[in-house]
Amino acid sequence: MIQAPEKVYYSIKEVSEMLDVPMPTLRFWEHAVKQLKPRVNSGRTRMYSKEDIDLIRKLIYLRSQNVPVKDWSTRISQDNRNLDRKAAARENLLLIREELIALRSLL
């Protein structure tokens, strides 16, 4: 896989070449995975964000693990919920740390 040049949006052709995934496969994945929704410009060209590209990398991984396509949306949703939980836990730990530092300064 080629490293993405720094841009805001990438055409379907650029993504296809970057990730070595055929353009028809990317189009199919859009229909199979509800989370994959690239923008479409006035010329009807699909434009993928960095987040879309990260999601496609996850799809490539799921395919390599022989996860059925019909299960991809569910797996992505579960992963996102787990990330949200981790972020919330991290935030709580930071707040607790700040409180502990404040209490320590009182001693």
Side-chain angles (χ1 to χ4, degrees):
M1 286 185 229
I2 300 169
Q3 185 64 20
E6 290 302 315
K7 292 170 54 173
V8 176
Y9 290 103
Y10 303 85
S11 71
I12 189 170
K13 182 178 181 183
E14 290 171 318
V15 174
S16 173
E17 292 171 355
M18 184 187 322
L19 301 178
D20 196 28
V21 176
M23 289 188 290
T25 300
L26 292 171
R27 289 185 197 102
F28 171 76
W29 288 354
E30 281 179 46
H31 297 287
V33 179
K34 64 183 177 186
Q35 295 91 338
L36 183 58
K37 296 293 178 205
R39 290 179 178 245
V40 179
N41 69 14
S42 59
R44 298 194 53 183
T45 301
R46 289 165 171 82
M47 302 302 291
Y48 293 85
S49 67
K50 292 176 187 176
E51 292 79 17
D52 293 326
I53 293 169
D54 289 340
L55 176 57
I56 293 167
R57 286 188 171 113
K58 289 178 186 177
L59 301 179
I60 292 168
Y61 173 77
L62 292 173
R63 181 176 62 177
S64 75
Q65 298 300 303
N66 297 318
V67 175
V69 173
K70 67 181 180 65
D71 296 336
W72 288 4
S73 284
T74 303
R75 288 282 294 267
I76 296 297
S77 293
Q78 289 171 346
D79 289 349
N80 289 342
R81 281 194 299 275
N82 289 338
L83 288 175
D84 291 343
R85 286 186 194 122
K86 286 179 184 179
R90 193 173 299 117
E91 181 71 24
N92 286 335
L93 287 173
L94 288 173
L95 291 172
I96 291 168
R97 182 175 187 256
E98 290 173 8
E99 288 179 25
L100 287 172
I101 290 170
L103 289 172
R104 187 175 182 187
S105 68
L106 296 174
L107 297 176

